[in-house]
C-alpha cells in the first residue's frame, strides 16, 4: 500500500491549495453570513471550472482527467480545509457525473457529457431523498417494500415517462442544470427492483423548485425541495436504458469517501486554528497550550485526526486500486464523522469566549 502521490496528483493538489487560498478564503465568511437564496458563488464556480475542478472526474475523452478516489481526496483536503461548502459544490459534481459516466448509455453520454464539459456553470443533482424517505433509498441494509420508501413515480406512457412527486433536501437543487431522479417505475416491487433513475433537464415543463433550505451549516452549498408535476421526458432518458438497475461502476471513483473527506478536512482546520490560538493566548501566567488540560485536549484530538485520516486514505487507496470496499467505506464514514464532531467541539472550547 503506497500513499505516495504521482507527479500529476501533486500538481493538482498544489492547484487546489492555491485556488482555495486565493479564491475561496477571501469570500468564505461573507458566503456563510448571506441568506441561502443569495449566497451561491457562481463566479467562483466559473473560475474553478476553468481550472478543471468542476469536471475532475470526467474521462479524458470528455475533457476531464478521470480522477480516481485518491486524486479527489487530495483536492477535497485542500478545498474543504478553507471552506467545506465551496468544496462540496465542486465535489458533488464529480460524484453526480459518475451516474452518466458509469451508468449511462453511449447515447446518453454523447448527449449530456459535452454539455457538462462545455458549460462552466453546469451542475448536476441526484434527487433521492423525499419528505418521508431518506436513507431507505439505500438498499444495502433495508429494501423498502411497495408502499414504503421512495414514492415519486415515473410511469411509462408510450415513448415517454411521466414523473410526479416531491423531493426534499436535494443538493444543488436550486442550481443544477441536470437532475438524475430516483423514482418508482414499478410500484409493485421493492426499492431494489422497482426504482429507476430518470434524467431530467432543468427546463423540463412541470419541474419546479420549492423551498430553499436555510441551514445552520454548509451555507453556500444549497439544498432545496423539488416538485414534479406531470414532468414528461422521453424513454431515452431512462439511465442505462433499463428499469430497476444501476451499474455497479457508479459506486466507484470516490463517491464513498467524499463526506468523510470533508469531515476530516474541517477537523484539521479546526485543530490547526486552535493550536495556533493556544500558542499565542496567555492566561494564568503562561500560554494556555502549556496548561495540562488544554494540552491534553489537543493531544487527544490530534490522535483522533491522524487515526481518521489514515482510515480515510486507506479507503481511498482501496477504491482506486481494488474497487470500493463497502465495509471499509462505511467504517470510514462512521469513524471520521464522529471524530470530526469531537475535534471541532473540543477546539471550540479551547477558544473560550472567542469560540
Amino acid at each position: 500500500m503506497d500513499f505516495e502521490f504521482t507527479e500529476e496528483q501533486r500538481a493538482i493538489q498544489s492547484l487546489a491549495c492555491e485556488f482555495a487560498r486565493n479564491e475561496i478564503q477571501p469570500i468564505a465568511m461573507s458566503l456563510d453570513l448571506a441568506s441561502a437564496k443569495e449566497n451561491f458563488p457562481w463566479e467562483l464556480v466559473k473560475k474553478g471550472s476553468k481550472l478543471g475542478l468542476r469536471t475532475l472526474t470526467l474521462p479524458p475523452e470528455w475533457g476531464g482527467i478521470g480522477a480516481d478516489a485518491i486524486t479527489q481526496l487530495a483536492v477535497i483536503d485542500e478545498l474543504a480545509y478553507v471552506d467545506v461548502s465551496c468544496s462540496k459544490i465542486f465535489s458533488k459534481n464529480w460524484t453526480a457525473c459518475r451516474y452518466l459516466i458509469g451508468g449511462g448509455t453511449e447515447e446518453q453520454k454523447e448527449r449530456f457529457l459535452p454539455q457538462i464539459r462545455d458549460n462552466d456553470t453546469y451542475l448536476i443533482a441526484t434527487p433521492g431523498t423525499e419528505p418521508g424517505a431518506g436513507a431507505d433509498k439505500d438498499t444495502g441494509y433495508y429494501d423498502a417494500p411497495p408502499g414504503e420508501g421512495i414514492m415519486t413515480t415515473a410511469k411509462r406512457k408510450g415513448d415517454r415517462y411521466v414523473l410526479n412527486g416531491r423531493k426534499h433536501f436535494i443538493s444543488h437543487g436550486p442550481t443544477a442544470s441536470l437532475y438524475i431522479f430516483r423514482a418508482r417505475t414499478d410500484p409493485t416491487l421493492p426499492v431494489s427492483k422497482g426504482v429507476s433513475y430518470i434524467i431530467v433537464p432543468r427546463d423540463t415543463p412541470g419541474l419546479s423548485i420549492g423551498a430553499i433550505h436555510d441551514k445552520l451549516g454548509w451555507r453556500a452549498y444549497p439544498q432545496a425541495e423539488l416538485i414534479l408535476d406531470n414532468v414528461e421526458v422521453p424513454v431515452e432518458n431512462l439511465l442505462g436504458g433499463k428499469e430497476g438497475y444501476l451499474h455497479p461502476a457508479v459506486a466507484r471513483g470516490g463517491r464513498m469517501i467524499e463526506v468523510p473527506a470533508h469531515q476530516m478536512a474541517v477537523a484539521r482546520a479546526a485543530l490547526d486554528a486552535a493550536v495556533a490560538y493556544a500558542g499565542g493566548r496567555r492566561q494564568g501566567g503562561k500560554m494556555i497550550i502549556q496548561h495540562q488540560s488544554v494540552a491534553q485536549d489537543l493531544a487527544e484530538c490530534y490522535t483522533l485526526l491522524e487515526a481518521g485520516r489514515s482510515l480515510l486514505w486507506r479507503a481511498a487507496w482501496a477504491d482506486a486500486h481494488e474497487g470500493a470496499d463497502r465495509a471499509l467505506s462505511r467504517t470510514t464514514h462512521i469513524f471520521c464523522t464522529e471524530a470530526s464532531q469531537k475535534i471541532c467541539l473540543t477546539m471550540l472550547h479551547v477558544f473560550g469566549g472567542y469560540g
Side-chain angles (χ1 to χ4, degrees), residues 151-165:
M151 302 306 293
T152 296
T153 59
K155 296 181 179 179
R156 180 76 179 263
K157 184 180 179 181
D159 61 351
R160 316 283 288 178
Y161 278 104
V162 182
L163 286 79
N164 283 282

Side-chain angles (χ1 to χ4, degrees), residues 84-131:
V84 289
S85 294
C86 292
S87 176
K88 200 72 166 64
I89 289 170
F90 291 106
S91 69
K92 173 60 181 178
N93 231 45
W94 311 340
T95 58
C97 280
R98 297 300 307 176
Y99 285 83
L100 285 167
I101 297 167
T105 64
E106 288 305 312
E107 184 274 336
Q108 289 166 350
K109 294 176 186 178
E110 292 281 351
R111 187 154 41 111
F112 294 110
L113 293 184
Q115 298 179 47
I116 299 170
R117 176 193 63 204
D118 298 336
N119 185 342
D120 286 333
T121 62
Y122 203 102
L123 301 174
I124 310 170
T126 54
T129 306
E130 300 181 2

Side-chain angles (χ1 to χ4, degrees), residues 96-106 108-109 180 197 199 238-242 245-251:
C97 280
R98 297 300 307 176
Y99 285 83
L100 285 167
I101 297 167
T105 64
E106 288 305 312
Q108 289 166 350
K109 294 176 186 178
I180 302 175
Y197 294 76
I199 304 168
L238 174 67
L239 186 70
K242 184 178 179 181
Y245 177 74
L246 186 64
H247 196 282
V250 175

Side-chain angles (χ1 to χ4, degrees), residues 36 136 189 297:
D136 54 0
L189 296 175
D297 281 345

Side-chain angles (χ1 to χ4, degrees), residues 20 29 46 50 76 86 98 119 131 148 162 172 185 211 228 230 232 247 251 260 266 276-277 289 306 313 344 351:
M29 186 58 73
K46 293 176 184 177
K50 299 294 186 186
I76 292 172
C86 292
R98 297 300 307 176
N119 185 342
E148 292 187 24
V162 182
H172 282 329
T185 44
L228 300 121
N230 289 321
E232 292 192 23
H247 196 282
V266 74
Y277 176 78
I289 200 170
E306 288 302 303
W313 285 96
C344 291
F351 276 86

Side-chain angles (χ1 to χ4, degrees), residues 167-201:
K167 297 294 186 178
H168 212 36
F169 299 119
I170 303 306
S171 299
H172 282 329
T175 55
S177 297
L178 189 72
Y179 302 91
I180 302 175
F181 280 91
R182 294 182 180 94
R184 280 195 187 260
T185 44
D186 190 337
T188 67
L189 296 175
V191 163
S192 63
K193 296 179 180 179
V195 167
S196 304
Y197 294 76
I198 312 291
I199 304 168
V200 182

